[in-house]
Structures are given as structure tokens and as C-alpha cells.
Amino acid sequence: GQQVMQIPQYQHVQEGEDFTTYCNSSTTLSNIQWYKQRPGGHPVFLIQLVKSGEVKKQKRLTFQFGEAKKNSSLHITATQTTDVGTYFCAGRGTSYDKVIFGPGTSLSVIP
Amino acid sequence: DTGVSQDPRHKITKRGQNVTFRCDPISEHNRLYWYRQTLGQGPEFLTYFQNEAQLEKSRLLSDRFSAERPKGSFSTLEIQRTEQGDSAMYLCASSVLGGSEKLFFGSGTQLSVL
């Protein structure tokens, strides 16, 4: 079955440093979504990527979808303490398929 | 927009007991998902519905787990003969098929099996 993997599992950065998390799927995806979960909270949708090679930006966050639609990345420029949390990628095999989550990357920001 | 509502927020039960959780999705959302999450892990897919139809149930899921969405609105997740390994946060999410299909999550039900 479809599996979604993420690295690294944990990342500790000094405030102001950049951060990147990588997501890989065992199968080709129709789209990929990214979610953020703050400690004690529930996952909150950040963005969805659909097209091969797509790049989207949200302020300091840059999201990429690989050409083969099997991998994705999230890059945060100049991290802030408000970026603390776990970032999950989530993919679906077809547009009508279920959403499968990766294990997440937990980001800690040292002020 | 009242969001996705889950009840109860916390449930403590003894091993062997049955428990039932309820999820009320956002009213116009036709898709409803159940996930299970343990500390440090990502949400694990359990099952999902489109309207009242259950489209898929995880093959890893024990037969002790069952879910319903009888009228295509709220959903219930029942766990029979609970085991300590069932202790987890149970998350419900809803979405609109055909739209951006982003998932809106509820705050979850934290189950502790003693």
C-alpha cells in the first residue's frame, strides 16, 4: 500500500536559521498537502500542491512538489519561535483516494 | 462556521470495555475521516466516508473497530473490548470532495485504556 515518509524526524534550529523537511511517497501522488500541528493541538492545513514541479510560497514558507510527483519539501526561511510544531505531509494516490499522512518532522526553535 | 466537533474530549476506560466516540463534521462536508494518533507519530488512517458510504477501512485495523455515518452527517467510531494498545488520540476530519479537499480536523478524543 501507499506509504509516505518524512525526514528528518526532529530538527532543532536557532531562531533565524532556515529549516527544511522532506517528504517521499512510495507511489505517485495526485496531490500533496502540508499540515502543521502545534503541541497539544490538531493538524491544521497549510497548502496543497497538485502539479508536477509546482512551487508555492506563503511568506517565509516555500513548498515544492517533485517532477515525478513522488516527493515534496517544505522550506522555512529565518525561523521564528512561532514556527514551532510538527509538520506533516499528506498525499493521495488519486483525486478521490484517502489521505495518508507521513510521520512528521518536529521543529524546535531555540530563541 | 462551527468547525469539526468531537465528543468526548477525553475518555478513560478499563480494558475490555466498549467505547464510542462521536464526530460532527462541518455541515456541507461530504467526506469524513477517522485517524488515530499516538505521541510522536503522524495521524494513522482508520477509515473514511463519502456521505453515508464507508469507502475504505484500514486493513491494519482490528475487527473490534467499527464506524458508521448513518445519515451522511455525524459519525460514530466504536471500539469493542478495548485493549491498552488502543490508547491514543482519535481524530476526525472532514472535507469537501471536489474542492481544495483540505482536511479540517476536530480537537480529537483522547482515549486512555487502563
Side-chain angles (χ1 to χ4, degrees):
Chain A
Q2 180 189 343
Q3 287 188 320
V4 178
M5 296 146 283
Q6 277 184 260
I7 56 169
Q9 187 176 3
Y10 302 98
Q11 186 78 57
H12 306 278
V13 299
Q14 203 76 33
E15 188 173 17
E17 291 183 338
D18 292 355
F19 160 78
T20 304
T21 173
Y22 300 91
C23 174
N24 283 282
S25 170
S26 58
T27 58
T28 302
L29 301 171
S30 66
N31 59 57
I32 196 153
Q33 298 175 338
W34 286 90
Y35 293 78
K36 177 182 179 182
Q37 185 173 25
R38 287 199 164 96
H42 55 271
V44 175
F45 176 86
L46 294 176
I47 207 160
Q48 176 170 275
L49 304 171
V50 178
K51 299 176 184 176
S52 170
E54 189 170 13
V55 178
K56 285 189 177 180
K57 292 189 176 184
Q58 287 181 349
K59 297 183 180 178
R60 294 178 294 103
L61 278 61
T62 302
F63 304 84
Q64 289 190 310
F65 200 8
E67 294 290 339
K69 301 185 76 173
K70 294 182 73 174
N71 57 73
S72 181
S73 65
L74 158 59
H75 180 83
I76 303 178
T77 303
T79 54
Q80 300 175 358
T81 53
T82 53
D83 296 325
V84 165
T86 302
Y87 293 84
F88 296 101
C89 63
R92 56 175 94 215
T94 70
S95 299
Y96 298 94
D97 210 350
K98 60 187 179 292
V99 180
I100 298 296
F101 281 75
T105 296
S106 176
L107 172 64
S108 299
V109 178
I110 305 162
Chain B
D1 181 3
T2 56
V4 178
S5 176
Q6 290 189 246
D7 184 69
R9 291 292 304 274
H10 304 274
K11 179 69 177 179
I12 301 173
T13 191
K14 292 183 179 179
R15 189 173 46 189
Q17 297 294 305
N18 299 343
V19 295
T20 300
F21 310 141
R22 177 180 170 122
C23 172
D24 287 272
I26 294 172
S27 59
E28 65 270 23
H29 284 190
N30 47 20
R31 281 213 165 177
L32 186 147
Y33 292 78
W34 285 99
Y35 291 90
R36 176 171 62 188
Q37 187 176 29
T38 52
L39 201 61
Q41 303 296 316
E44 175 195 2
F45 169 79
L46 297 181
T47 188
Y48 77 133
F49 294 84
Q50 184 167 314
N51 300 314
E52 66 275 9
Q54 187 172 21
L55 297 184
E56 186 173 338
K57 179 180 173 181
S58 170
R59 281 170 285 181
L60 301 176
L61 203 59
S62 161
D63 289 343
R64 298 182 296 104
F65 288 72
S66 62
E68 293 183 338
R69 196 183 182 197
K71 297 182 179 178
S73 55
F74 73 93
S75 176
T76 57
L77 177 69
E78 180 183 19
I79 309 174
Q80 295 182 328
R81 305 180 304 281
T82 52
E83 302 172 357
Q84 287 187 326
D86 297 331
S87 296
M89 175 70 81
Y90 289 83
L91 292 167
C92 174
S94 68
S95 69
V96 178
L97 180 66
S100 68
E101 296 183 54
K102 62 183 181 181
L103 300 184
F104 292 82
F105 280 86
S107 297
T109 294
Q110 181 67 54
L111 173 65
S112 297
V113 182
L114 305 179

